[in-house]
Amino acid sequence: MYYILYIDRLFFLNFIMNLFALSLMKLSLRRTVTRFRMILSALLGAVGYIAVIFLPAVSYQFKVILGFTGISILMVFVMYPKSGLSFLTKALTGLYCFAFLFGGVLLFLKKYIVPSGDGAWLYILLPSAILYLLLCFLLKRRQEAVKECKVTLLCEEKELVLKALVDSGNMLIEPISKKPVSVVEERLLTEAGITLHEEKCRAIPYHSVGKKNGILMGYEFPKILLRTQKEEKSIEKAIIAVSQDKLFKSGRYEMLLHPGLLEE
């Protein structure tokens, strides 16, 4: 028995499915990424998939283990090239989970729908698109539930309770320890009587819109407490950067919390 493969349709479907899986992975990780990197990652995945399929005289097991696994690692690395091994492992796990979920749904539908003809690829694309939109909705609702967080800073028998915004765009990392960095107004620390010791000061480089680059002064706090609607957690030796400018004009929030602190 022979099967006819249409390379253009196979490439297009794989590219779209890659975009779906990568977009959901990004939402679940709460990490921002440029559209260019996401599209490039999906394109590389589709090209690699086609290339692996047509490898001559190679067993299916070899293609799966060395081919598709390697392609997945490349896709994640292209999206997040400067992330650590721990984050890349988490991202790769998320990508596999969403890929297997799409595959499972399509196998289930195949029992009841047998596509044929030139429009057969629509039977794959349309259910996948519906599932993608549903998962996007659920993930965004989940993110909104943890968008706000109450943070208690503990330092030298003093404590400061702040209302923080979990900022998905906050990618600040302390260069040496690679710890996530949150930001608080210096004025609030001064009013609470919290002294910032120079020996615990660390320079935090940052980039922002309207300013090419800059440096924030960060300090290691012995302990901070986080409280969301779903959980409470304690984090030792957290890095907090101080801003001399007001973070929020409305005054609704007093701190920018790194999303990585909720993922740890």
Side-chain angles (χ1 to χ4, degrees):
M1 182 180 293
Y2 295 92
Y3 296 93
I4 299 176
L5 291 178
Y6 296 93
I7 302 300
D8 54 345
R9 297 176 188 176
L10 189 61
F11 176 85
F12 176 75
L13 281 175
N14 193 264
F15 170 69
I16 296 299
M17 298 295 284
N18 287 343
L19 278 181
F20 287 166
L22 290 170
S23 178
L24 292 171
M25 179 193 74
K26 181 198 73 171
L27 283 174
S28 66
L29 294 172
R30 297 195 289 272
R31 289 288 185 91
T32 57
V33 68
T34 62
R35 291 183 180 178
F36 171 76
R37 284 197 172 277
M38 185 179 296
I39 293 174
L40 178 61
S41 178
L43 282 173
L44 289 175
V47 171
Y49 177 80
I50 299 297
V52 169
I53 284 181
F54 289 96
L55 282 176
V58 176
S59 66
Y60 175 77
Q61 291 78 6
F62 181 84
K63 290 181 180 180
V64 171
I65 296 174
L66 295 184
F68 298 135
T69 302
I71 293 169
S72 301
I73 295 173
L74 176 63
M75 291 169 62
V76 172
F77 183 76
V78 167
M79 281 188 64
Y80 301 104
K82 297 182 180 180
S83 299
L85 180 60
S86 176
F87 175 80
L88 291 177
T89 302
K90 186 184 297 185
L92 186 62
T93 302
L95 179 62
Y96 280 137
C97 287
F98 289 117
F100 286 138
L101 179 59
F102 278 112
V105 170
L106 293 177
L107 286 175
F108 174 79
L109 292 175
K110 188 178 179 181
K111 295 181 179 179
Y112 304 97
I113 302 174
V114 181
S116 60
D118 293 337
W121 61 278
L122 290 175
Y123 288 95
I124 299 175
L125 184 59
L126 290 179
S128 300
I130 294 172
L131 177 61
Y132 166 73
L133 293 175
L134 176 61
L135 291 174
C136 278
F137 173 77
L138 294 176
L139 287 172
K140 288 180 179 179
R141 286 289 298 272
R142 176 175 172 267
Q143 285 185 354
E144 291 174 358
V146 296
K147 204 169 185 178
E148 296 182 350
C149 181
K150 187 150 288 188
V151 181
T152 302
L153 305 180
L154 303 174
C155 181
E156 297 180 346
E157 299 183 353
K158 294 183 176 67
E159 66 177 51
L160 174 62
V161 181
L162 302 168
K163 189 174 183 180
L165 173 69
V166 182
D167 183 12
S168 60
N170 181 3
M171 303 293 287
L172 287 177
I173 297 293
E174 200 280 313
I176 299 176
S177 65
K178 304 301 181 183
K179 289 184 177 181
V181 178
S182 301
V183 185
V184 68
E185 294 179 21
E186 186 176 19
R187 171 185 60 84
L188 299 173
L189 299 175
T190 303
E191 292 175 355
I194 295 178
T195 304
L196 302 174
H197 299 285
E198 291 185 1
E199 62 270 16
K200 294 187 177 181
C201 178
R202 306 183 185 186
I204 314 293
Y206 74 94
H207 302 269
S208 63
V209 177
K211 187 173 183 179
K212 188 175 181 181
N213 53 60
I215 297 292
L216 285 174
M217 293 297 105
Y219 299 85
E220 183 181 274
F221 278 69
K223 186 178 183 180
I224 68 172
L225 305 176
L226 308 181
R227 181 187 301 169
T228 67
Q229 295 178 355
K230 297 184 178 181
E231 64 176 335
E232 294 183 11
K233 64 192 308 183
S234 170
I235 297 179
E236 308 285 340
K237 298 181 178 180
I239 305 296
I240 307 294
V242 295
S243 172
Q244 296 180 349
D245 300 324
K246 193 175 182 64
L247 295 176
F248 300 93
K249 293 182 179 180
S250 64
R252 180 177 180 182
Y253 301 104
E254 303 160 307
M255 182 178 184
L256 285 172
L257 188 71
H258 196 294
L261 293 176
L262 293 175
E263 297 171 8
E264 291 180 351

